[in-house]
Amino acid sequence: MRQPLVAGNWKMNGSREGVGELLDGIARGAAGLDKVEVAVCPPAIFIPEAQARLAGTRVVWGGQDVSVHASGAYTGEISGPMLSDFACTYAIVGHSERRTYHGESDTLVAQKFVAARKAGLVPIFCIGETLEEREQGVTEQVVAGQVDAVLALGGAQLLGEGVIAYEPVWAIGTGRTATPEQAQEVHAFIRSRVAVSDAEGAGSIRILYGGSMKPDNAAELMAQADIDGGLIGGASLKPSDFLAICQAAG
Ligand code: 13P
């Protein structure tokens, strides 16, 4: 049985003034939600605050990205050991915004997956096609290539130690959610792709959906057989919305 996970990706949002209220609101509301795992991934600068406020609650926290290097002369980067030092559970790798705006390749993302695991973090490994790719009918090829890059570098066992997040790029921040059927179809394909190299791992790996998930569409999406939770952008910045999604997962 796969425990659902709902993770908030705050992206580059939040302020020193507002971060405490947001974290406390989520922690309070998540207290009774014992069927779902709840995580937040704030900007790195707020991670110490997340640790201070969330330690001892049901909510875990993580980074939005991780360097492939453990330390050294890499200005601006945050390493896996640094995230672990602040008790992060998760690190998002390969988010489409990193792939698009920072030119991250499938290979680099796979290296980040490995770096996160080396530091004891659980990667939330984002994959997904653009609108153009969907219209060209190559969605399966695209997500297969993204998954295969991790398999090639780290093998099936390593992949199985992470969480996959299917985030169709055209659904992110657009209000245009994939229908439950569209999402389920790709989730089932991803699981079958993992099963080629690891049948057992494919049954246990969690595959989250991300892309305009909101309180009013979360339950139907997460009711699909291969959708094991959500990676939430915009709605994770409002505790009532985020918690309603968490509730829908359990
Ligand atoms: P939205 O929920 O704002 O569409 O963002 C999804 C996402 O990119 C989560 O990583």
Side-chain angles (χ1 to χ4, degrees), residues 92-184:
I92 298 173
V93 300
H95 192 280
S96 75
E97 287 148 18
R98 304 279 328 162
R99 293 178 188 264
T100 304
Y101 306 135
H102 302 271
E104 295 193 3
S105 65
D106 289 350
T107 307
L108 182 82
V109 172
Q111 288 168 345
K112 290 188 169 192
F113 191 119
V114 171
R117 280 308 298 144
K118 267 196 191 144
L121 301 160
V122 177
I124 299 178
F125 168 47
C126 300
I127 60 176
E129 82 288 2
T130 62
L131 183 58
E132 202 183 3
E133 289 162 341
R134 174 159 283 261
E135 285 171 349
Q136 285 167 1
V138 295
T139 297
E140 293 190 352
Q141 276 150 268
V142 171
V143 298
Q146 292 167 331
V147 169
D148 289 355
V150 173
L151 287 172
L153 190 69
Q157 196 193 327
L158 187 90
L159 179 64
E161 291 169 3
V163 172
I164 296 176
Y166 169 58
E167 298 207 306
V169 179
W170 47 272
I172 296 177
T174 58
R176 189 178 158 193
T177 320
T179 64
E181 296 73 27
Q182 278 175 325
Q184 167 58 25

Side-chain angles (χ1 to χ4, degrees), residues 178-198:
T179 64
E181 296 73 27
Q182 278 175 325
Q184 167 58 25
E185 195 182 353
V186 183
H187 280 237
F189 171 77
I190 294 165
R191 203 177 295 287
S192 70
R193 190 75 186 187
V194 177
V196 172
S197 37
D198 183 3

Side-chain angles (χ1 to χ4, degrees), residues 9 11 95 97 167 171-174 210-213 231-234:
N9 173 8
K11 308 192 179 184
H95 192 280
E97 287 148 18
E167 298 207 306
I172 296 177
T174 58
S212 299
M213 195 186 265
L231 184 56
I232 319 299

Side-chain angles (χ1 to χ4, degrees), residues 75-88:
T75 301
E77 294 272 89
I78 307 273
S79 74
M82 290 171 185
L83 294 174
S84 290
D85 210 8
F86 286 86
C88 286

